[in-house]
Amino acid sequence: MKQVSIIIALLVLIVSTFAQREHPARPTETGGPLRFEQAAFDVLNYDISLDVDPKARSISGTTVMTAKVVIPTNAIMLDLDTPYTVTKATEGGREVKFTHKDGKIWIWLPMTKQVGESVTTSITYSGSPRIAPNPPWIGGFIWTKTPSGADWISVALQNDGADLMFPCKDHPSDKPATASMHITVPDPLVANGPGKLESARKNSDGTTTYTWRMTNPIANYSLVFNAARYRLIEDKVKSVTGEMIPIKFYILPESYDKGARLIAETKKYNAFFEKYLGPYPFRAIKLGIVETPHLGMEHSTNIAYGNKYRFAEDGFDWLMFHEYGHEWWANLITASDWRDFWIHEGFQSFMDTLYVEETKGKEAYFTAMKTRAKATRNMQPVAPREAKFAHEVYLAAPDYVKSDGDIYGKGAVVLHTLRYLIGDDAFFRALRRMAYPTKEMERLTDGRQERLVNTDDFLTIAETECKCELDWFFEMYLRQPKLPKLIGTTVTDCGNNCTLGLQWETPSNMPFPMPVDVVIDGKSQRVEMKDGKASIKYSGSIPTADPNGWVLKAQ
Ligand SMILES: [Zn+2]
């Protein structure tokens, strides 16, 4: 017996935009294990007031948090980044004792609050916010100028946490049910934010206060603002539900002429996502886009766009497509812990590649997936079981200054492999039910359409749709880092009576009954490998296993 290599088609190498970037610094902590003094309350609303001074590159303001007590407590903890000074803290209108140390504010209540009681904290603070070392990946504030020299301010902090801007419960498991932002900027700057613009009030000191109100649950890292001499382009698009979705694009005056083209593209993307995943979740609020100095971010109802209108030949804008898809995979459903960050990035990266199939055909899709498979690092599990800080899954251990990339590319290929395993019908039903478990939820727009999710939810949904058992699949690809290897063995000089032996070699001998396509004498057949092995008779040339690259495996 002799080992022969399994023939794999040559790959076209396309560098994935998010894979393995070098950064000048590591992010600050966001998420991680929830402390008791965070778990004890559930945030209902943030009311964020900020005075923004671009000259001094500083901010000052007050954040009022309304929350409900869910575990009796006399202490609560909020995060607020170290550069800020807290000058006052109240609860229920009365001043309370607090300490602000190492980026955390501890608030001591005079009496233990009971379950169901409300907590209303008001924190007044000021300072010079952390300047983003490499936005949007390593975040903070961006104070820059537009091409014509006017002030341009932006905030991106997903990997660092919203405590870089306002005091908050810095954990993905707690999206406030609603939020307001009152951003005061010097005229003629326009402050842009999530939700709907409620008012723009001119003040006597040459500033204007813009009030933005979000009436659906929103992730903390989406509660950011941008300011510039923005112009507004308004349009609308018809949802698959028949409702009209208002489009609001805050664009630099310099870019105004390019805005309509990006909107036309985004309408196509909306139709694609609605077809596969169900209606745009925030159609009662807006489809928002804002031009930013950083590359982009999926801020809910207000997509940060900084790809400089670099459309592909066919008009495609990959950044807009990617961030817009996050309105489903991040903002409609949100990972309750950063350990499941891949539900945002892997699912959306799968959609990025599915759009290649939609527009360029199946061969282009296979090529793109093979490129992603080749770029996997396989150093840490895609979906670890323990609570994680965002940087621990986004970036590579041990120093967290290099992007890991697997939550994107490997996540996408895992879904691609699942698609092969359970077939298109079950797979696309599972995808849609992950976004919206029921038809009834697809009709909601008042916030109840949103869910906090984890990887096991998708396991349950996929198993329901395929009527099969998928623990082994999730264990292999998501819970541990290593890839299975397909070993092919055959005897040379066997004439017309040859046998190809196939076997999965797996880490720790994990069970892996993954079928694989084998091309024998020019004909493709699906070979079941129930015990992780199979043998196939052939005559003529050595068969080719998995020529399309359906199954993610060691290469
Ligand atoms: Zn993304």
Side-chain angles (χ1 to χ4, degrees), residues 450-517:
E450 291 183 41
R451 282 149 55 235
L452 290 165
V453 296
N454 64 27
T455 296
D456 282 336
D457 291 336
F458 187 57
L459 170 61
T460 303
I461 288 169
E463 285 190 334
T464 307
E465 292 305 333
C466 74
K467 300 185 179 66
C468 65
E469 204 271 318
L470 291 170
D471 274 314
W472 59 272
F473 181 94
F474 279 63
E475 289 297 320
M476 177 64 74
Y477 285 130
L478 298 168
R479 301 308 195 175
Q480 63 83 42
K482 296 199 178 80
L483 292 179
K485 191 171 184 184
L486 185 60
I487 307 292
T489 48
T490 188
V491 174
T492 46
D493 303 327
C494 45
N496 285 333
N497 186 21
C498 297
T499 304
L500 171 69
L502 286 176
Q503 184 165 3
W504 286 112
E505 190 180 278
T506 62
S508 312
N509 284 319
M510 296 168 73
F512 195 61
M514 172 61 82
V516 67
D517 283 354

Side-chain angles (χ1 to χ4, degrees), residues 343-409:
I343 294 175
H344 301 184
E345 299 302 352
F347 277 61
Q348 182 46 37
S349 296
F350 176 81
M351 300 307 286
D352 293 347
T353 317
L354 186 65
Y355 197 66
V356 171
E357 177 177 334
E358 188 93 349
T359 53
K360 297 189 165 57
K362 202 82 175 221
E363 281 308 314
Y365 165 83
F366 285 140
T367 302
M369 280 299 183
K370 284 174 181 172
T371 304
R372 288 195 185 282
K374 215 177 178 186
T376 59
R377 287 180 82 250
N378 310 301
M379 301 296 284
Q380 50 188 2
V382 171
R385 282 203 165 85
E386 325 79 57
K388 291 284 180 189
F389 296 102
H391 71 267
E392 292 179 295
V393 283
Y394 198 96
L395 298 151
D399 41 13
Y400 304 109
V401 291
K402 202 171 177 188
S403 301
D404 182 81
D406 274 2
I407 57 167
Y408 289 83

Side-chain angles (χ1 to χ4, degrees), residues 91-307:
E91 194 286 310
R94 281 182 299 275
E95 286 209 33
V96 282
K97 280 202 280 184
F98 70 91
T99 54
H100 181 211
K101 200 167 169 270
D102 302 329
K104 301 189 185 314
I105 306 172
W106 299 87
I107 297 166
W108 314 101
L109 308 172
M111 295 277 278
T112 295
K113 290 261 188 186
Q114 304 300 314
V115 172
E117 285 193 82
S118 71
V119 184
T120 305
T121 60
S122 171
I123 308 279
T124 301
Y125 65 105
S126 62
S128 299
R130 191 179 294 262
I131 289 175
N134 194 24
W137 304 278
I138 317 297
F141 274 59
I142 302 144
W143 309 92
T144 187
K145 302 281 182 189
T146 61
S148 58
D151 280 318
W152 195 6
I153 308 156
S154 188
V155 186
L157 37 65
Q158 181 189 41
N159 281 334
D160 295 76
D163 62 312
L164 265 53
M165 195 182 102
F166 68 98
C168 60
K169 176 171 164 182
D170 184 16
H171 200 274
S173 62
D174 200 350
K175 293 163 82 174
T178 55
S180 292
M181 293 177 52
H182 317 276
I183 308 297
T184 302
V185 288
D187 297 330
L189 295 184
V190 174
N192 145 283
K196 286 184 177 169
L197 180 64
E198 270 194 352
S199 62
R201 194 190 68 235
K202 275 213 167 293
N203 305 310
S204 55
D205 61 353
T207 63
T208 299
T209 303
Y210 293 83
T211 291
W212 290 90
R213 174 95 180 132
M214 178 63 174
T215 50
N216 277 187
I218 181 165
N220 291 351
Y221 70 85
S222 281
L223 287 171
V224 292
F225 73 93
N226 302 279
R229 295 183 182 182
Y230 286 122
R231 289 182 67 182
L232 172 63
I233 303 178
E234 296 191 82
D235 199 340
K236 48 188 184 297
V237 62
K238 195 173 192 172
S239 167
V240 69
T241 62
E243 295 154 288
M244 293 309 290
I245 307 167
I247 299 174
K248 313 259 182 194
F249 186 0
Y250 281 77
I251 189 167
L252 294 185
E254 293 92 329
S255 317
Y256 192 81
D257 296 345
K258 296 166 189 150
R261 189 166 170 193
L262 189 67
I263 289 176
E265 275 297 306
T266 306
K267 287 179 181 178
K268 286 194 233 167
Y269 310 158
N270 183 67
F272 172 79
F273 288 113
E274 289 200 324
K275 171 178 148 188
Y276 282 98
L277 307 177
Y280 173 61
F282 309 107
R283 56 199 178 280
I285 299 169
K286 74 176 192 282
L287 188 171
I289 311 169
V290 57
E291 186 169 358
T292 55
H294 63 84
L295 181 60
M297 185 58 74
E298 69 262 23
H299 300 142
S300 182
T301 69
N302 200 34
I303 299 298
Y305 173 83
N307 199 31

